Amino acid sequence: MASKQLENLVATRQLDVEPGTDEEVQNLLGSGSRRLLDAENTTLALESRFDLAYNAAHALALAALRHHGFRSSNRYVVFQVLPHTLGIPNEQWRVLDSAHRKRNRAEYDGDFDVDEALVAAVIRVARALEAAVTALPPLG
C-alpha cells in the first residue's frame, strides 16, 4: 500500500501512478548493480566514477519507486521519496541530494566539484539501496 506522502505527490503531479513489473524492477536492479561495480574501479577517472555511482543510485531508487507502482519524470523526486519507498534514513538520502546538486552543476554549468569522499559516500548509499531493492518481495 502506498504511503500518504506518495499519494500527496500524485495529487501535486510530482508522481504518476503506473504499475511496475518484476522484469522492470530486476532490469533496473541489474543496471544499478553493474554500474556500482564499475564505480568502485579506482583506475577510472573520478568524474566517471561519480557518474556511475550517481546513475547506479538513481536506477536503484527508480526500481524501488516502480516496485511501489509510481513513476516520476523528475530525478530529484526519485531520491526524495526513498524514505517512503525503501525506508532509507534521511542522512542517506541527503548524500544523494548533495550528489544530485553536484551532478546538475557539472552537467549544466561545467562545474565539476566532486571529491573521493563524495564518490565513496554515494557508493555506500547505493549499496544500501541495492540491498533494500533486492529484499523487496516479487510483484504480482
Side-chain angles (χ1 to χ4, degrees):
M1 181 57 107
S3 73
K4 182 69 173 160
Q5 292 85 353
L6 295 176
E7 294 296 338
N8 287 343
L9 291 171
V10 169
T12 60
R13 297 180 162 201
Q14 294 183 56
L15 287 179
D16 295 316
V17 175
E18 182 182 309
T21 66
D22 278 325
E23 181 180 11
E24 180 182 20
V25 171
Q26 290 306 308
N27 287 343
L28 288 164
L29 174 60
S31 174
S33 295
R34 288 186 300 276
R35 288 176 183 181
L36 267 177
L37 281 175
D38 289 344
E40 293 171 327
N41 181 350
T42 58
T43 64
L44 296 176
L46 187 62
E47 183 176 43
S48 296
R49 293 179 60 223
F50 174 77
D51 285 343
L52 287 161
Y54 173 86
N55 285 308
H58 184 265
L60 295 163
L62 182 57
L65 186 63
R66 298 298 296 127
H67 184 274
H68 286 278
F70 298 95
R71 180 177 296 282
S72 177
S73 59
N74 184 326
R75 284 181 158 267
Y76 184 76
V77 171
V78 173
F79 291 140
Q80 185 180 28
V81 298
L82 281 167
H84 309 293
T85 58
L86 290 178
I88 296 298
N90 285 336
E91 57 272 9
Q92 287 184 340
W93 115 256
R94 279 191 222 109
V95 168
L96 299 176
D97 175 49
S98 175
H100 180 76
R101 284 184 277 116
K102 288 185 182 268
R103 176 241 180 218
N104 281 353
R105 281 198 299 272
E107 283 288 314
Y108 302 116
D109 300 333
D111 179 18
F112 185 74
D113 178 30
V114 173
D115 58 23
E116 191 69 46
L118 178 61
V119 172
V122 173
I123 290 171
R124 274 193 309 276
V125 171
R127 284 285 177 210
L129 298 180
E130 180 184 41
V133 170
T134 300
L136 291 171
L139 293 172

